[in-house]
């Protein structure tokens, strides 16, 4: 609990004995929580943290799956400019994502599939992010699990999409950003060898039949994949955001 919390919580018990039971249960929960064990003080930096969902990094590793979404929030100047350009500002109560990526997972490893200005569409091993503590440079990483009964055909489609789009270049230009409908319904038939950051995720989801084919992938922004936009999928659904907490935070 913060030293000077902005909120106070009051509990009313039916009897002194019940109040004592509540007190013991709450104290035990606090003392045995991940927050107490790992001193996760960074959680307390979030306004209304008690209303947010958090998940320890170990649990994320156990429970994530291919096709899940990761949202990133940073505070450096270029990130703020990008959020303004891509309409990712959606209020003050919720931090605004400026980057979105896909999770890929097999029996032995977890990979982040993302698009950036340096290397285009590329893989980043999750273990590498942990080893070099790159998460320290990011204000927040949020996970949204994709609830989907993944068929063998889905897995084949994922693999084909990845191999076709690997190393395509990042492109942030206004001509693409303001195209509202797809000239070609099939993503793989597009001539442009460029993918905007959220366009990668949208193209991936369209390929799997999760998003309507007629809407251009350029009309999806990082904020589109956040809780703020309540994105409706044609198959399956995205769970609510959970902030990933790392043990040394």
């Amino acid at each position: 609990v913060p030293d000077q919390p902005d909120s106070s919580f009051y509990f009313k018990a039916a009897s002194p004995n019940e109040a004592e039971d509540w007190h013991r249960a709450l104290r035990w929960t606090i003392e045995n929580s991940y927050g107490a064990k790992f001193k996760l003080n960074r959680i307390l930096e979030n306004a209304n943290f008690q209303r947010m969902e958090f998940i320890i990094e170990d649990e994320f590793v156990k429970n994530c799956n291919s096709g899940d979404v990761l949202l990133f929030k940073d505070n450096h100047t270029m990130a703020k400019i990008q959020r303004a350009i891509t309409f990712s500002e959606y209020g003050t109560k919720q931090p605004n994502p400026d980057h979105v990526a896909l999770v890929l997972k097999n029996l032995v490893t977890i990979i982040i599939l993302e698009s950036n200005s340096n290397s285009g569409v590329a893989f980043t091993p999750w273990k590498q992010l942990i080893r070099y503590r790159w998460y320290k440079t990011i204000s927040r990483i949020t996970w949204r699990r994709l609830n989907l009964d993944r068929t063998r055909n889905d897995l084949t489609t994922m693999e084909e999409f990845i191999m076709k789009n690997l190393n395509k270049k990042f492109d942030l230009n206004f001509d693409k950003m303001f195209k509202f409908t797809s000239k070609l319904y099939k993503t793989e038939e597009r001539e442009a060898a460029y993918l905007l950051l959220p366009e990668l995720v949208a193209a991936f989801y369209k390929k799997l039949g999760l998003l309507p084919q007629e809407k251009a992938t350029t009309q999806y922004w990082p904020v589109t994949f956040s809780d703020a936009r309540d994105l409706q999928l044609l198959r399956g659904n995205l769970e609510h955001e959970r902030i990933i907490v790392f043990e040394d935070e």
Side-chain angles (χ1 to χ4, degrees), residues 1 19 42 45 67 84 91 95 101 105-106 108 119 154 158 167 191-193 207 221 239:
V1 178
R42 193 172 179 182
E45 297 174 4
K105 184 181 183 182
N106 60 23
V108 296
S119 56
D154 287 334
M158 289 181 186
N167 295 323
E191 295 180 356
K207 183 71 175 176
W221 318 101
E239 292 186 359

Side-chain angles (χ1 to χ4, degrees), residues 25-80:
L26 288 169
R27 179 172 293 278
W28 184 92
T29 300
I30 293 170
E31 291 176 351
N32 291 276
S33 67
Y34 276 109
K37 182 178 180 181
F38 297 112
K39 296 182 170 57
L40 303 179
N41 297 319
R42 193 172 179 182
I43 290 178
L44 305 180
E45 297 174 4
N46 300 283
N48 298 318
F49 70 92
Q50 71 277 7
R51 299 180 183 178
M52 299 177 181
E53 292 189 47
F54 297 89
I55 185 167
I56 297 298
E57 188 266 337
D58 284 349
E59 293 299 314
F60 162 75
V61 169
K62 294 176 185 176
N63 292 284
C64 69
N65 208 338
S66 294
D68 293 352
V69 168
L70 290 175
L71 296 165
F72 299 81
K73 163 74 187 309
D74 210 334
N75 284 324
H76 60 73
T77 302
M78 286 307 298
K80 293 177 180 178

Side-chain angles (χ1 to χ4, degrees), residues 52-55 59-60 63 69-71 140-145 147 227 239-245:
M52 299 177 181
E53 292 189 47
F54 297 89
I55 185 167
E59 293 299 314
F60 162 75
N63 292 284
V69 168
L70 290 175
L71 296 165
R140 172 172 298 187
I141 303 177
T142 303
W143 171 49
R144 295 196 74 184
R145 190 212 308 260
N147 282 324
D227 278 342
E239 292 186 359
H240 290 300
E241 297 178 20
R242 280 179 254 186
I243 301 167
I244 300 175
V245 179

